[in-house]
Amino acid sequence: MWKDLILLIRPRQLIKQGVILLPAFFAGRLFEPNAWWRLLIAWVCFGMVAGAVYILNDLYDQEADRLHPTKRFRPIASGRVSSWVALVSLGLLILISIPCAWLLDHEASYWMMAYLLINVGYSRYLKHVPIVDLMVIGSGFLIRLAVGSEVLEPIVPLSKWILVLVFLGALFLGLAKRRDDVLLGQQGGYTRSSVEGYTLPLVDTGLGILAAVILVVYLGYTLSPEVEARMQSQQVWTTSLFVLFGLFRYLHSAFVRQSTGNPVQVITSDIWLQMAILGWMAMYGWFLYG
């Protein structure tokens, strides 16, 4: 039972809350002693709020999930956790996380409540509206950035570059995730209303466009005079090589391996993609902290 209760909040998805660290990372303040514990608490609180959202989504989708080749093994869909136990768990996560976030920073708690409310609408209705569902997913990552900015003292202003790039990246991952469900629907094994508005040509075209836009915007960021001045280097553009490789590697997973339904699983199972991410982080670490 305890294992199933933990699986309810999808612990592997906690990696997504790492976006909270980005404002501190790019501001060169990631290793400040006072910043670490505040970011850690924010990461835990947001993880609990996101866990509550996952439970809510699974409650709404349990009938459809039972028809999915992998989602049918989730605790609620499989019947290992009853709906009322899931509801109690959801309530406890909210009752613990929001007050803790309030004690840490009022503004951060407001952003977490906004994330919760938006995702109630997403689970109930918005995920069934094509393109709008992707926008909601993207907004969730912008909220993570806002939380990471607010909890630091003093507050780190969010750059327009990081806002645009994180939003585009979230759209890219969300669309790649939709691709798996479209493929399952075409095979006749599984369909759900949230992907009825998508076709394979639409998804594939969208992925290509987003990958190109992300690369162009990222190059613009690395070549901008203000970034070169802040990094004290004119070689920041070299990090785009890791971004280019990472994008193509993810597209390879989508078009060749036909598997992008779980972004976390794609990253954790692809050593080359992991090396690209670590290489990108190492180079930025050198520019910012070296």
Side-chain angles (χ1 to χ4, degrees):
M1 173 63 76
W2 286 108
K3 181 181 179 181
D4 288 329
L5 289 175
I6 293 173
L7 289 175
L8 273 179
I9 63 173
R10 305 184 199 175
R12 294 184 67 179
Q13 302 296 326
L14 284 172
I15 191 174
K16 292 180 180 179
Q17 314 330 325
V19 175
I20 291 173
L21 304 177
L22 290 181
F25 177 75
F26 284 108
R29 297 177 53 191
L30 187 60
F31 298 109
E32 291 181 5
N34 187 54
W36 258 112
W37 72 269
R38 295 182 68 85
L39 289 169
L40 178 61
I41 294 174
W43 180 75
V44 172
C45 289
F46 204 104
M48 295 175 74
V49 173
V53 169
Y54 291 138
I55 293 174
L56 180 64
N57 194 61
D58 285 353
L59 284 168
Y60 278 124
D61 284 353
Q62 57 183 302
E63 296 299 328
D65 285 348
R66 292 190 179 108
L67 304 176
H68 193 279
T70 57
K71 293 179 181 180
R72 61 193 176 95
F73 297 113
R74 288 178 176 175
I76 298 175
S78 65
R80 299 195 309 273
V81 173
S82 65
S83 295
W84 75 268
V85 170
L87 281 170
V88 171
S89 301
L90 184 157
L92 287 174
L93 288 171
I94 295 173
L95 289 174
I96 295 171
S97 59
I98 298 299
C100 286
W102 172 269
L103 293 174
L104 178 67
D105 184 270
H106 293 356
E107 294 296 328
S109 69
Y110 294 149
W111 281 113
M112 290 186 196
M113 285 187 282
Y115 177 83
L116 183 62
L117 291 174
I118 290 172
N119 278 278
V120 169
Y122 175 82
S123 297
R124 188 70 183 92
Y125 174 69
L126 294 177
K127 68 180 176 183
H128 303 295
V129 184
I131 309 303
V132 172
D133 59 337
L134 297 178
M135 297 297 171
V136 174
I137 292 172
S139 71
F141 283 85
L142 295 183
I143 290 175
R144 288 174 172 88
L145 285 177
V147 170
S149 169
E150 292 289 345
V151 297
L152 294 176
E153 294 180 342
I155 293 173
V156 174
L158 289 174
S159 161
K160 61 181 181 294
W161 293 106
I162 190 175
L163 290 169
V164 172
L165 284 167
V166 167
F167 185 73
L168 290 173
L171 294 184
F172 179 82
L173 295 176
L175 196 58
K177 190 174 181 178
R178 289 287 180 268
R179 191 177 193 277
D180 261 26
D181 285 336
V182 171
L183 287 174
L184 285 172
Q186 288 185 346
Q187 295 166 5
Y190 170 76
T191 56
R192 60 189 303 170
S193 57
S194 60
V195 294
E196 287 179 354
Y198 292 95
T199 63
L200 202 57
L202 172 63
V203 173
D204 290 349
T205 301
L207 286 174
I209 291 173
L210 282 171
V213 172
I214 289 170
L215 185 59
V216 169
V217 173
Y218 187 83
L219 280 169
Y221 163 73
T222 59
L223 293 171
S224 62
E226 65 269 25
V227 171
E228 290 182 343
R230 184 161 57 86
M231 302 287 184
Q232 298 182 351
S233 173
Q234 294 184 339
Q235 307 304 317
V236 186
W237 68 270
T238 57
T239 61
S240 62
L241 299 176
F242 292 103
V243 175
L244 176 64
F245 178 81
L247 286 170
F248 271 104
R249 190 69 189 178
Y250 210 91
L251 290 173
H252 175 272
S253 182
F255 299 144
V256 179
R257 295 165 59 189
Q258 304 286 330
S259 177
T260 49
N262 187 332
V264 174
Q265 186 175 348
V266 172
I267 294 172
T268 56
S269 63
D270 190 331
I271 185 64
W272 293 102
L273 193 53
Q274 294 169 28
M275 290 173 63
I277 294 171
L278 290 174
W280 178 86
M281 293 175 63
M283 287 198 70
Y284 261 102
W286 174 261
F287 289 131
L288 290 166
Y289 302 94

